Amino acid sequence: MRSRVLLVPDGLEGDRVDAAAARMLGLSRSYVSDLIAEGAVRLDGDAVAKSDRVRGGAMLEIDLPDEDPGVRVIPRTVEGMRIVHDDRDIVVVDKPAGVAAHPSLGWDGPSVVEHLAAAGFRISTSGSPERQGIVQRLDVGTTGLMVVAKSEIAYTVLKQAFRDRTVDKTYHALVQGHPDPFSGTIEAPIGRHPGHEWKMAVVAGGRPSVTHYETLEAFPGSTLLTIHLETGRTHQIRVHMAAIHHPCVGDPLYGSDPVLAARTGLDRQWLHAVRLGFTHPTRGEYVEFSSPYPADLAQALEVVARD
């Protein structure tokens, strides 16, 4: 048995202890929940329940078994992964669907980190071993642009830029119906869905979340939106659009119409990180990258445009 002692960062203030510990250690929530049930997790010296909330600056103690429950980075090339930009400090990738940002327990598919390892990229050693260099994430089913830090200074600067909300993250989303108004802001707290392990929801006490949207084009039964994120919560766009009753086309987890998904040929949400802009972490100049729609999203768009 070995113990880990961690200070809870202010950014996790108010999170459930199982979610916070999982994020800090790079473990699955279900694994952490089992440790909590065994009394192996303490907050400021006191045993906790998995639904207890953490406080910024609190001391989290976790007793881990001697066998390592973590995950391994296994280098493997990912078909369709495109390198958009590469310099000594950062690499920007265009992530295809079906690829995670990094390996994790419970996920057997490919990841950005593993692809970069297979391609011979040396990335920042900051972060847990399987998340080294990762300063942002995209859902497995979401395509588009991600930046990964290669140098330690790039990791530190970019992590802070994402916290300070100075990174321009632009997405395109095809949603069901027509949002009213056609342009607006959704400001609603997001947290773990109370009855679903892998789902998020707008919940009282969730983390503050802000999404701005504008209509690009309206079709008979759907709308193509440009979306800018102020915050970067898990599933934020999908949760917020579902909350105003306009889920992303092809997203059954958040209430999309399966008939429309079948007609457009989609087996994942129509959501694409189309532009990414930020101040370069060492050069100090503003850089911006763009990504075209992948084939499945482009075809789905043609289908709804013909309606």
Side-chain angles (χ1 to χ4, degrees):
M1 185 73 67
R2 54 199 172 89
S3 294
R4 293 287 302 276
V5 179
L6 305 160
L7 291 179
V8 177
D10 291 339
L12 296 183
E13 174 87 35
D15 276 14
R16 284 170 47 129
V17 68
D18 57 346
R23 290 184 64 184
M24 294 167 70
L25 287 171
L27 303 173
S28 71
R29 277 185 71 182
S30 59
Y31 183 86
V32 173
S33 294
D34 290 342
L35 292 177
I36 291 172
E38 296 168 3
V41 180
R42 295 171 297 282
L43 193 64
D44 286 335
D46 297 325
V48 295
K50 65 181 181 181
S51 59
D52 288 348
R53 304 284 172 168
V54 299
R55 302 173 300 281
M59 184 174 67
L60 191 65
E61 299 175 79
I62 304 172
D63 298 329
L64 294 170
D66 290 330
E67 62 272 16
D68 186 0
V71 295
R72 295 284 185 266
V73 175
I74 302 173
R76 50 177 161 174
T77 300
V78 177
E79 184 177 356
M81 184 85 73
R82 186 168 67 93
I83 303 299
V84 176
H85 172 84
D86 176 35
D87 62 42
R88 68 178 185 179
D89 295 298
I90 62 172
V91 56
V92 178
V93 302
D94 195 347
K95 186 184 84 66
V99 179
H102 56 76
S104 62
L105 290 174
W107 171 250
D108 295 326
S111 72
V112 171
V113 167
E114 290 169 315
H115 175 82
L116 293 176
F121 285 87
R122 295 178 61 86
I123 58 178
S124 166
T125 57
S126 298
S128 57
E130 73 280 4
R131 300 188 188 190
Q132 288 179 356
I134 294 295
V135 294
Q136 66 164 136
R137 291 183 292 177
L138 294 178
D139 296 344
V140 168
T142 299
T143 48
L145 298 166
M146 277 183 59
V147 59
V148 180
K150 293 173 67 177
S151 66
E152 305 309 311
I153 188 170
Y155 182 88
T156 300
V157 171
L158 287 173
K159 286 290 281 188
Q160 191 61 49
F162 277 99
R163 291 191 195 101
D164 293 342
R165 306 178 186 179
T166 59
V167 177
D168 179 21
K169 300 170 286 183
T170 305
Y171 297 78
H172 284 181
L174 183 67
V175 302
Q176 292 178 197
H178 303 129
D180 183 13
F182 275 130
S183 298
T185 296
I186 306 167
E187 189 167 358
I190 292 176
R192 188 70 57 178
H193 191 289
H196 197 296
E197 177 72 18
W198 305 108
K199 189 175 179 179
M200 309 300 286
V202 171
V203 294
R207 302 178 73 188
S209 308
V210 182
T211 301
H212 305 284
Y213 69 90
E214 299 175 1
T215 293
L216 270 177
E217 190 169 0
F219 306 104
S222 57
T223 307
L224 182 64
L225 301 176
T226 294
I227 294 178
H228 295 273
L229 297 182
E230 278 195 30
T231 50
R233 310 306 180 206
T234 301
H235 297 181
Q236 179 172 324
I237 294 173
R238 299 164 66 190
V239 171
H240 272 175
M241 298 318 299
I244 63 170
H245 310 295
H246 297 287
C248 294
V249 174
D251 192 3
L253 183 64
Y254 290 103
S256 69
D257 178 5
V259 175
L260 179 57
R263 188 159 57 81
T264 55
L266 288 174
D267 58 5
R268 51 105 171 188
Q269 65 269 14
W270 204 114
L271 182 58
H272 185 64
V274 68
R275 281 191 302 278
L276 182 64
F278 51 89
T279 300
H280 192 281
T282 59
R283 297 177 185 171
E285 63 188 20
Y286 187 79
V287 293
E288 186 174 77
F289 308 96
S290 62
S291 166
Y293 299 153
D296 62 336
L297 300 191
Q299 168 154 0
L301 207 55
E302 290 178 5
V303 171
V304 298
R306 292 197 300 263
D307 287 346

